[in-house]
Amino acid sequence: MLNSILTLIVDTVAAVLGGVLLLRFWMQVVRVRPPAALGQFTFQLTDWLVRPLRRMLPGVGGYDWASLIAALVVIVIAVAIDLAVASRFHPQFLVLLSLMRFFEWVFYGFMGLLLIEVVFSWVNPHAPLAPFIRALNEPLLRPLRRIVPLIGNIDLSPLVLFILLRIGLMLVTQLVMSLA
């Protein structure tokens, strides 16, 4: 019971921190400025880890690689703790589970952003956070909007993207598991 509680705490803290680090990376990839409160939260939560890494890993190509590497470090530490608590620590498991968790966070992060945008479009398309979420999703939705036609003025590209993200997650999970 105590092991499960410790694993829950470690996984929750790692997921929040890692998710914010991945969001920070994606915001720079997309070149979108977050609203003030969200930006302040993001940078205050992650600067302690990103700034020291940035000295070793400068941004190349305009991307904040330190944020991405920091997310990977968080994942590896969380998986190492989980494996140690379960008394199953093995370097091969550490690498494979860390890789799998990284891809899960990326795919589930995109799915979460997509669901938030869909809810905004139905409930309040003029919400203050809606343009920010729309800008984060636009690079993924733009190619699909060229292919998927509007049906009765309904944009089905988010549904298609959601299905493609689920398929991508299934394929990546299967690929990582086949390496075991």
Side-chain angles (χ1 to χ4, degrees), residues 155-170:
D155 183 10
L156 294 178
S157 59
L159 177 62
V160 172
L161 178 59
F162 192 83
I163 292 169
L164 290 174
L165 287 169
R166 288 287 302 152
I167 292 169
L169 179 60
M170 291 165 58

Side-chain angles (χ1 to χ4, degrees), residues 31-102:
R31 308 245 189 271
V32 63
R33 253 185 108 74
L38 182 63
Q40 185 178 10
F41 171 78
T42 301
F43 296 121
Q44 283 185 352
L45 183 65
T46 59
D47 270 351
W48 65 273
L49 186 56
V50 172
R51 284 186 182 204
L53 282 173
R54 203 175 274 151
R55 282 185 233 134
M56 295 180 284
L57 300 164
V60 177
Y63 298 124
D64 183 18
W65 296 108
S67 295
L68 187 63
I69 298 301
L72 287 169
V73 167
V74 168
I75 289 170
V76 169
I77 291 170
V79 169
I81 292 171
D82 288 349
L83 289 173
V85 166
S87 300
R88 294 187 174 150
F89 188 84
H90 192 276
Q92 181 183 2
F93 289 146
L94 177 64
V95 170
L96 289 175
L97 288 174
S98 297
L99 190 62
M100 193 164 78
R101 190 169 293 177
F102 172 75

Side-chain angles (χ1 to χ4, degrees), residues 3-46:
N3 291 348
S4 298
I5 293 171
L6 180 62
T7 300
L8 173 69
I9 291 169
V10 167
D11 288 349
T12 302
V13 170
V16 170
L17 182 58
V20 172
L21 286 162
L22 290 172
L23 176 64
R24 182 175 175 154
F25 177 75
W26 187 243
M27 286 187 305
Q28 285 202 322
V29 168
V30 177
R31 308 245 189 271
V32 63
R33 253 185 108 74
L38 182 63
Q40 185 178 10
F41 171 78
T42 301
F43 296 121
Q44 283 185 352
L45 183 65
T46 59

Side-chain angles (χ1 to χ4, degrees), residues 93-128:
F93 289 146
L94 177 64
V95 170
L96 289 175
L97 288 174
S98 297
L99 190 62
M100 193 164 78
R101 190 169 293 177
F102 172 75
F103 284 113
E104 285 175 351
W105 285 3
V106 169
F107 280 95
Y108 285 132
F110 283 135
M111 285 183 228
L113 287 171
L114 196 58
L115 285 173
I116 292 169
E117 182 174 349
V118 167
V119 169
F120 276 149
S121 73
W122 291 341
V123 176
N124 186 3
H126 305 293

